[in-house]
Amino acid sequence: MTITAINVRNQFRGTIKEIVEGPVVSEVDVQTAGGLIVTSVITTRSVKELQLTVGKEVVALVKSTEVSIATL
């Protein structure tokens, strides 16, 4: 499944592994078929409206103007 109606090129299909719900924002961890974990911070309202639950299959859409990397 790909979503082509929007301008986001990086799409990762996966399964929700964990949701850490806060009063305003929540963290949603999505595990891809390759084992990569993609974490999204979205509003808790969006979690409820999208009916996100652990185990649900979703597509993580990544659009960023900057990626920072630091050395260890």
Side-chain angles (χ1 to χ4, degrees):
M1 170 185 193
T2 61
I3 298 174
T4 57
I6 59 176
N7 186 22
V8 177
R9 304 247 184 255
N10 299 307
Q11 302 177 16
F12 300 94
R13 184 177 180 162
T15 304
I16 296 177
K17 288 299 176 187
E18 183 178 13
I19 299 173
V20 180
E21 204 170 289
V24 179
V25 296
S26 297
E27 293 179 32
V28 180
D29 288 346
V30 177
Q31 184 171 18
T32 67
L36 175 71
I37 299 290
V38 178
T39 302
S40 177
V41 177
I42 63 174
T43 64
T44 300
R45 180 179 183 174
S46 292
V47 170
K48 294 178 187 320
E49 287 178 357
L50 292 169
Q51 300 178 349
L52 300 180
T53 57
V54 172
K56 186 171 189 167
E57 287 192 38
V58 295
V59 177
L61 306 167
V62 180
K63 185 170 185 175
S64 177
T65 58
E66 177 180 336
V67 176
S68 299
I69 298 177
T71 58
L72 300 175

